[in-house]
Amino acid sequence: MKILHASFECYPLAKVGGLADVVGSLPKFQNEISATSKVIMPYYNNDFFKNRSKTVDLYTGTIKIDKLSYEYSIKELKSNEINFDVLIVYIEDLLDRDNVYGYGDEVIQYIAFQLSILNWLVNENIDFDIIHCHDHHTSLIPFFVKYCYEFQKLKNIHTVLTIHNAQYQGIFPHNRIDLLPEFNQENIGILDWYNSINPLATGIKCASRVTTVSSTYLEELKEKANGLEGLLRSEEGKCKGILNGIDTSVWNPYTDVMIIKNYKISNVISGKKANKQKLCNTYAFDKDLPLFGFIGRLVGEKAADLLPKAIEQALDENRINILILGSGHKEIEDQLIELKEKYKGRFSAYIGYDEKLSRLIYAGVDFLLMPSRVEPCGLNQMYALRYGTIPIVRRTGGLKDTVIDIGDGGFGICHDQASVWDICYSIKRAITFYNDKKFFRSIQKRIMKIDNSWNTSAKKYIEVYKSIQ
């Protein structure tokens, strides 16, 4: 079985969020279970493409969007850092940007990327069994394959759409219909959702199968999906929730070169102590106090707007240290920077992203905060567990599927609401947990044994593919 994953992100080539981690891992594990799985993504003007890889030209073609012609090329990536085949779509001055998202012509970017893939497949007679589309950036592919005249040769290729985050749907107005290739206008209703062209809704309607990145998230979307609730309920027969996994060879505290001291279950206590000491030395924290961390985008979905007030209250009421790594809304960033000055030696925040620091946080903090309002799957809690760090999570999406509260015989701390009160109460529970050293250390060892690898999930995706045949 031959699978082509179409995505705008893929770690380590280009990463904004969890989408990159999934696309950067799933193909590897699929290839290990009798599939041939490749990724196709845009070329970006970033460090990886410029300095850490080479490309080989495979094909050059031309696509038309609204009477304008764009020359594209398909390239094969050559890099020692990638252990599966990656193909690149290069379009000068359109896809070769410094950043993945955030451009005024993003609708044209997404359409051009998708058309380039299909134009290449048609003209080169390349055969895949499945095109696996990831999020709205690629979710018009199922429609193009089914209904656009120029791609009728591909109609036997099945499509799977994975929804990583239904909050983003790629909506654009009907007056831009000319951006799409020619199709029978009797099918225009398939593109429509609430009087706009909605790529994600279109993908849900047209894909052979639809998956979400956790079972709980699928059920949540049937009740709250930014307008797609009814559609997902009507299409639930072809929908399946498959929990994401992590690459345990990459996320491994025993081999991770970015942390201070490597460790495994047998020496987790000393290993985490050494990494915590490094963080405490760097930020002038007291090593004997519980250390809480947060890694993520400083946006409403992550409940990051609650963090400044929660941090202030938690620090006023408890003897703890807190470290934040992330970026996002400037207002939240500014509030965290102010708190750095007010609580120097007890709180710090790194505004931005630093992969080495993130690894050190997973290895060195005692607890990881994830109070998310929306968390389709969540990978950070899996990374934390792998590194012996206790997750503090809100019961939503994949967090609910992967973390069981210690009060229920589990290994984490869970709360039900995204609120300052819930965060602060959970921190107080964590402090009590931390002070019971024997129990705390037993849980650290226990969580490192939990298997959140891609092995099981990769097999479930193969089962989904086979169910279409």
Side-chain angles (χ1 to χ4, degrees), residues 147-174:
Y147 298 109
C148 291
Y149 299 132
E150 64 182 284
F151 303 127
Q152 286 305 290
K153 287 173 62 176
L154 304 176
K155 63 183 179 181
N156 291 327
I157 296 180
H158 295 291
T159 55
V160 172
L161 170 64
T162 293
I163 303 172
H164 297 261
N165 193 332
Q167 298 302 304
Y168 304 101
Q169 300 174 13
I171 298 169
F172 58 95
H174 273 283

Side-chain angles (χ1 to χ4, degrees), residues 33 76 103 192 302 313 404:
I33 50 176
E76 184 179 8
Y103 297 98
D192 181 80
K302 303 294 184 183
Q313 183 175 323
I404 302 171

Side-chain angles (χ1 to χ4, degrees), residues 232-267:
L232 285 162
R233 288 195 293 269
S234 68
E235 298 282 1
E236 65 181 346
K238 66 178 182 183
C239 296
K240 184 178 180 63
I242 300 177
L243 190 68
N244 286 339
I246 62 173
D247 188 337
T248 53
S249 65
V250 173
W251 295 92
N252 184 352
Y254 190 57
T255 58
D256 193 334
V257 297
M258 298 187 192
I259 64 178
I260 296 303
K261 180 178 178 178
N262 294 114
Y263 58 94
K264 50 187 176 180
I265 294 173
S266 61
N267 67 330

